[in-house]
Amino acid sequence: MTVVKIRLMFKAFLKVRLSYYFIILFIFFAGLLMVLPKPVLSSSALTLFSINSFLFGFYFTPALNNQKSRIEELGKVIRTESVALFKILVKTRKIIDDKVHDKVQKMIGDYIRACVSERKAGCGEKEYDKLIGELVHFDPKHKDAGAVDSILDALAENQTNRTTFDMTMGRKIYSNEWYVILTLFSVTLALPIIVDIGHNPVLHIVASMLCATLTLLLITLLKVNFLVHKKAKGIWAPMESLLESDFRSIDDKED
């Protein structure tokens, strides 16, 4: 199986709704608990499991909260940049030459489209540099030189938003952190799976729900980390609205 296919499968995996995952996981663990042999656990083993569960919660909760905070910050910086771009587009009205006006607007539109399409750190870098390069080398003797300089100043100020966006996008969970989380998660999940709960159907359901919930927490962390969680879906709405309205509005459905 190629790397491309694995990535496509992983993306498809992340797109499934969490509510569906809970049902699937509950059925899976309910069946697993029926057939899996139950070893006898000593008190020391149970103590180790308890310590591991505490460490998992201690490590997992800040990681999840940090990623949720990251999504909120991305939403704010994208909206701030959308407002800045909207103001820049308003400044293009002062350009008298239609050719210059249309060219600048097209280049700004190309940048916004690149950002909405790529949705990653450094998105639209090529288009943004091309736009600035075009304005920097604009003829200073041209009748629209003043308007172009004003737009160039605004684009330079917008670099702060772009830098903040790139830094915030880079705040993903690193591979070494995933190793720790997965190790603690695996041991925590193992306890309700291997502990002998007898033939009590209620306890069997509770154990299945506990396993499904633990796994759902890990999938939630994956979703927020890769910005495919429901919470992250609306962060690009301002730029999308800017394009859809032909640069007339940055309002989204949530406003």
Side-chain angles (χ1 to χ4, degrees), residues 49 52-54 56-57 183-193 214:
F49 275 113
N52 179 87
S53 298
F54 170 77
F56 175 67
T183 300
L184 295 174
F185 164 76
S186 300
V187 179
T188 303
L189 183 66
L191 180 59
I193 291 178
L214 282 170

Side-chain angles (χ1 to χ4, degrees), residues 168-217:
T168 308
M169 283 293 287
R171 278 169 44 195
K172 289 183 177 182
I173 299 175
Y174 297 109
S175 57
N176 61 307
E177 294 175 312
W178 277 119
Y179 295 148
V180 175
I181 291 173
L182 288 172
T183 300
L184 295 174
F185 164 76
S186 300
V187 179
T188 303
L189 183 66
L191 180 59
I193 291 178
I194 65 176
V195 69
D196 190 359
I197 55 176
H199 299 287
N200 190 320
V202 176
L203 290 178
H204 192 88
I205 292 172
V206 170
S208 301
M209 292 179 66
L210 180 59
C211 291
T213 303
L214 282 170
T215 309
L216 202 64
L217 283 174

Side-chain angles (χ1 to χ4, degrees), residues 81-92 151 154 242 250:
E81 183 175 14
S82 298
V83 172
L85 291 170
F86 180 75
K87 291 179 178 179
I88 291 170
L89 286 161
V90 171
K91 289 178 182 289
T92 61
I151 294 171
L242 198 58
I250 57 171

Side-chain angles (χ1 to χ4, degrees), residues 187-252:
V187 179
T188 303
L189 183 66
L191 180 59
I193 291 178
I194 65 176
V195 69
D196 190 359
I197 55 176
H199 299 287
N200 190 320
V202 176
L203 290 178
H204 192 88
I205 292 172
V206 170
S208 301
M209 292 179 66
L210 180 59
C211 291
T213 303
L214 282 170
T215 309
L216 202 64
L217 283 174
L218 188 65
I219 296 173
T220 301
L221 184 59
L222 278 168
K223 278 179 166 284
V224 294
N225 181 65
F226 290 100
L227 303 178
V228 294
H229 190 269
K230 183 179 180 181
K231 190 179 181 68
K233 287 184 177 180
I235 63 175
W236 289 98
M239 280 199 178
E240 290 173 344
S241 179
L242 198 58
L243 285 175
E244 291 171 2
S245 65
D246 195 22
F247 311 135
R248 291 184 176 87
S249 171
I250 57 171
D251 294 330
D252 53 72

Side-chain angles (χ1 to χ4, degrees), residues 7-68:
R7 287 180 178 176
L8 290 174
M9 289 176 63
F10 183 68
K11 287 181 179 180
F13 168 79
L14 291 177
K15 287 181 179 180
V16 179
R17 293 183 62 178
L18 290 172
S19 55
Y20 296 156
Y21 271 123
F22 182 80
I23 298 172
I24 295 169
L25 290 169
F26 174 76
I27 295 172
F28 170 77
F29 284 114
L32 184 65
L33 290 170
M34 289 181 182
V35 299
L36 208 64
K38 310 291 183 181
V40 178
L41 298 177
S42 62
S43 58
S44 58
L46 291 173
T47 302
L48 285 175
F49 275 113
S50 299
I51 294 172
N52 179 87
S53 298
F54 170 77
L55 289 174
F56 175 67
F58 182 80
Y59 198 87
F60 181 87
T61 303
L64 182 60
N65 290 336
N66 181 58
Q67 291 306 306
K68 287 183 176 180

Side-chain angles (χ1 to χ4, degrees), residues 72-88:
E72 291 176 359
E73 290 176 27
L74 282 171
K76 290 177 182 178
V77 72
I78 291 172
R79 171 161 283 277
T80 302
E81 183 175 14
S82 298
V83 172
L85 291 170
F86 180 75
K87 291 179 178 179
I88 291 170

Side-chain angles (χ1 to χ4, degrees), residues 7 34 52 60 67 86 93 99 116 118-119 121 124 131 149-150 153 160 167 170 179 185 190 201 247:
R7 287 180 178 176
M34 289 181 182
N52 179 87
F60 181 87
Q67 291 306 306
F86 180 75
R93 294 179 181 178
K99 289 184 179 180
V116 173
E118 296 173 17
R119 304 191 180 198
L131 173 60
D149 287 343
S150 176
D153 290 340
T160 303
M167 291 176 63
Y179 295 148
F185 164 76
F247 311 135

